[in-house]
Amino acid sequence: MSPATTSSSAPAAPAAHGPAGRRRRFGWPQRVFSQVLLMQLAIVAGVTVLATGLFLAPLSAQLDDQAMRRALAIAEATASTDVAEELTGTPPHATGPVQAEAERIRRATGAEYVVIMDRRGVRWSHPDPVQIGRVVSTDPSAALAGRDVMEIDSGTLGRSARGKVPLRDASGGIVGAVSVGIEYDSVRARLLAAIPGLLAYAGGALAVGALAAYLISRRLQRRTHDLAFSDISALLAEREAMLHGIREGVVALDGAGRVRLVNDEAQRLLGVGPEATGRSLEEVLGEGRTTDVLAGRVTGEDLVTVRGQRVLIANRMPTDDGGAVATLRDRTELERLGRELDSTRGLIDALRAQDHEHANRMHTLLGLLELEMHEEAVEFVTEVVGVHRATAEQVTEKVHDPLLAALLVGKATVAAERGVSLRLTTGTLLPDRLVEPRELVTVVGNLVDNAVDAAAGSAEPLVEVELRAEGRTAVLRVADSGPGVPAERRELVFTEGWSTKDRPAHGGRRGLGLAMVRRLAQRQGGSARVGQAPGGGAEFTVVLPEALTEPEAPEPPRSRGAEAETAAPGGSR
């Protein structure tokens, strides 16, 4: 194969400067680390250049001023010698005493020139002896008038920093002037000599600033996980949408225990508003188990707490900065359904037992009828029906609210199937004036269930319920014949999550009933407490102020005339 063929068949390499090479463009970096580093370097460099410029700008003027003052000082020192007498006593000459003295001073001080002149401006001394006897090139009138002069000017020796003073004789009369010049190139050389050192300091400051900027940017890179500003903005937007869109409450706390974030669901569950942000948990929620759980004083997973009428499941996760994020789930409906399931299971068990008892009664009744003992059969049926009817009538006579009466009748039936006698005390009397019957049903149901559980298995199982009205206040007392509650645990039983019972079959949690009873009572300004019953068991007392409405005032009696008019408005028949 020929070289030409080989060359034509080989793939062409892309040009280094072709379109493919121009696709990559160097623009403003996207990463937070790179942007902050570039901005900090630009700021450090700008500040360094500005500081260097601000230092150099007055430095030249300061050096000029120092040179002029030095020239003036040399001129004053020269004028204080005996040159005034020599000026008046000798003619101007290159070898005269005035020239000799002036040259001595010039060499000793390093000045460019020391010129001594008379009142006419004629030079008596000069570095160039040819200029002696000639008039000075600059105006000496100010010095001859008795004033000190400092200036930057040009003369026969070039540009120089000058100082001029009057020359006085022994009597104080002005006989001439002394002009001293400092070479301006030496001043400029001092300025230029100072620049490298200044630039070295500026470079050192720039290097330190750049290093500090780099370290700060690296720390920022680690804290932002090398994200771009657009990524951070998107993450914040997604975070806001997620936090306020999920159906779980989220509470974020900082290292000091202050609320840093509370989303919409958490505000609803905890009953707080956006103003909770920046405040401590104690200020927002007050003292209690919910505060302890969120603050981390109570540890564990899926912790149960009660807030108002809501049953919440809380989990807490610490963060790297010493704070924490807590999530809240609403388990109120689930707990209610679980309790209803437990109640339903109990009713099913009771109905199953009643079914067996009913079958036994039916068999007994059938036997009596087959033996043609009809009177005994009637008496047997009357007795069985009368027991249940008596129980219902006893409850409805003393408890006039239909919901509460139905609850007590059902609870009495379930208690009887478990071998527990449930009865109302003689002091029970509750009119049908309840403001919130369902709340009192919740309280009575929880207390009666606990009392039946405690009384079951005792020597003489008994539960006594007393309901009475004191004005608008409802007072509930439930006593049982169980083992009672020790004095050291009488406050602990009202704590969320505390219970002596086994976990229910539906997987729910114990220790919520009494906590909700106390919360309901406290919300109405009442109280819930436990003590010892007269028989040795536990006695729970709940006081609910404002639980009943005001009794209706009786209608005033009407007169006979009014009754007659009402009976026959159209006249007599």
Side-chain angles (χ1 to χ4, degrees):
M1 187 178 290
S2 64
T5 306
T6 305
S7 174
S8 61
S9 62
H17 301 287
R22 290 195 298 268
R23 287 177 184 172
R24 185 175 180 181
R25 297 181 179 179
F26 295 93
W28 184 252
Q30 298 298 318
R31 302 295 180 186
V32 176
F33 159 74
S34 303
Q35 291 192 24
V36 172
L37 179 59
L38 287 179
M39 287 188 291
Q40 287 182 327
L41 289 177
I43 293 173
V44 170
V47 170
T48 303
V49 171
L50 180 62
T52 304
L54 292 177
F55 183 79
L56 286 176
L59 180 60
S60 177
Q62 291 176 1
L63 293 177
D64 289 347
D65 183 70
Q66 291 177 2
M68 290 187 294
R69 290 186 180 278
R70 179 185 169 203
L72 184 64
I74 295 173
E76 290 176 344
T78 303
S80 63
T81 62
D82 297 334
V83 294
E85 297 178 1
E86 295 172 352
L87 179 69
T88 57
T90 61
H93 195 273
T95 59
V98 176
Q99 170 70 2
E101 181 67 14
E103 284 301 298
R104 183 189 67 79
I105 294 174
R106 182 183 68 82
R107 287 190 296 269
T109 58
E112 183 181 16
Y113 64 85
V114 177
V115 174
I116 301 173
M117 67 193 78
D118 59 11
R119 290 188 59 84
R120 298 171 298 169
V122 176
R123 300 186 185 96
W124 286 65
S125 67
H126 196 276
D128 183 7
V130 178
Q131 301 295 331
I132 296 175
R134 297 179 181 178
V135 179
V136 297
S137 58
T138 57
D139 185 15
S141 58
L144 294 175
R147 297 192 300 272
D148 294 343
V149 177
M150 291 190 305
E151 61 184 359
I152 302 292
D153 203 354
S154 298
T156 57
L157 298 178
R159 191 171 180 81
S160 60
R162 302 181 178 185
K164 298 178 181 180
V165 297
L167 182 61
R168 302 176 185 274
D169 57 12
S171 61
I174 297 176
V175 297
V178 178
S179 176
V180 176
I182 304 296
E183 187 178 3
Y184 195 73
D185 289 340
S186 65
V187 178
R188 184 180 302 168
R190 290 181 60 193
L191 176 62
L192 295 177
I195 291 178
L198 180 61
L199 293 180
Y201 285 116
L206 180 60
V208 172
L211 178 61
Y214 176 76
L215 295 177
I216 294 173
S217 299
R218 287 291 296 175
R219 177 177 174 83
L220 183 62
Q221 182 185 25
R222 291 192 297 269
R223 297 300 296 269
T224 59
H225 303 284
D226 200 21
L227 294 175
F229 277 112
S230 58
D231 297 333
I232 295 176
S233 178
L235 285 175
L236 287 176
E238 293 169 1
R239 168 182 173 272
E240 290 298 315
M242 179 183 65
L243 288 177
H244 296 289
I246 61 176
R247 301 307 298 169
E248 273 196 6
V250 178
V251 179
L253 307 173
D254 61 14
R258 293 185 295 267
V259 177
R260 185 159 50 191
L261 179 143
V262 53
N263 70 342
D264 298 342
E265 184 67 7
Q267 293 178 20
R268 184 183 70 87
L269 296 178
L270 298 176
V272 300
E275 66 277 359
T277 304
R279 300 166 61 189
S280 65
L281 286 173
E282 287 74 12
E283 295 178 6
V284 176
L285 303 178
E287 300 291 338
R289 177 177 171 84
T290 303
T291 301
D292 294 338
V293 168
L294 296 182
R297 292 188 285 270
V298 178
T299 58
E301 295 182 355
D302 292 339
L303 298 173
V304 180
T305 181
V306 177
R307 179 69 178 174
Q309 289 185 320
R310 299 188 181 279
V311 179
L312 307 178
I313 303 298
N315 285 282
R316 188 177 186 273
M317 179 63 67
T319 55
D320 295 337
D321 60 353
V325 174
T327 58
L328 301 171
R329 287 174 288 163
D330 191 357
R331 291 287 296 270
T332 306
E333 293 299 321
L334 185 59
E335 292 295 331
R336 184 181 64 81
L337 292 175
R339 289 178 176 278
E340 290 181 359
L341 179 59
D342 284 345
S343 300
T344 303
R345 288 179 183 272
L347 289 174
I348 291 175
D349 293 338
L351 290 174
R352 186 179 294 112
Q354 285 186 350
D355 179 56
H356 289 289
E357 183 179 358
H358 182 68
N360 293 332
R361 289 170 179 170
M362 289 296 101
H363 292 158
T364 303
L365 180 60
L366 179 61
L368 290 173
L369 293 176
E370 288 180 351
L371 295 175
E372 296 183 355
M373 301 174 64
H374 301 96
E375 293 182 1
E376 287 80 357
V378 171
E379 291 178 1
F380 178 74
V381 172
T382 302
E383 180 182 358
V384 171
V385 174
V387 171
H388 293 284
R389 182 180 299 170
T391 302
E393 289 179 354
Q394 179 187 13
V395 172
T396 54
E397 284 178 1
K398 295 184 176 183
V399 179
H400 298 166
D401 183 81
L403 288 178
L404 203 54
L407 173 70
L408 290 173
V409 171
K411 295 294 182 183
T413 303
V414 174
E417 295 301 330
R418 298 184 60 182
V420 179
S421 174
L422 189 150
R423 66 188 183 191
L424 300 179
T425 64
T426 56
T428 295
L429 183 60
L430 188 68
D432 187 13
R433 294 189 285 109
L434 292 177
V435 177
E436 291 289 343
R438 295 184 182 275
E439 292 188 358
L440 192 55
V441 165
T442 300
V443 174
V444 173
N446 279 295
L447 294 182
V448 170
D449 286 343
N450 291 339
V452 171
D453 291 340
S458 61
E460 295 182 0
L462 173 65
V463 173
E464 283 189 342
V465 178
E466 180 178 349
L467 279 164
R468 68 179 188 273
E470 297 178 356
R472 295 189 59 187
T473 301
V475 180
L476 167 64
R477 185 181 66 85
V478 178
D480 61 68
S481 59
V485 179
E488 65 273 9
R489 293 187 175 182
R490 289 178 182 173
E491 284 299 317
L492 190 61
V493 297
F494 292 103
T495 305
E496 301 99 292
W498 190 91
S499 178
T500 59
K501 302 178 183 178
D502 296 331
R503 188 163 182 162
H506 61 80
R509 298 179 180 273
R510 295 290 189 184
L512 299 177
L514 293 178
M516 294 186 68
V517 166
R518 171 166 279 188
R519 288 293 178 88
L520 287 172
Q522 291 177 344
R523 195 181 67 175
Q524 297 184 16
S527 61
R529 64 182 184 275
V530 60
Q532 185 175 0
E539 180 179 89
F540 287 84
T541 304
V542 179
V543 179
L544 301 173
E546 311 296 327
L548 290 86
T549 60
E550 292 287 350
E552 297 181 359
E555 295 184 2
R558 292 181 295 179
S559 62
R560 292 182 176 272
E563 292 178 355
E565 291 178 1
T566 303
S572 61
R573 291 184 178 180

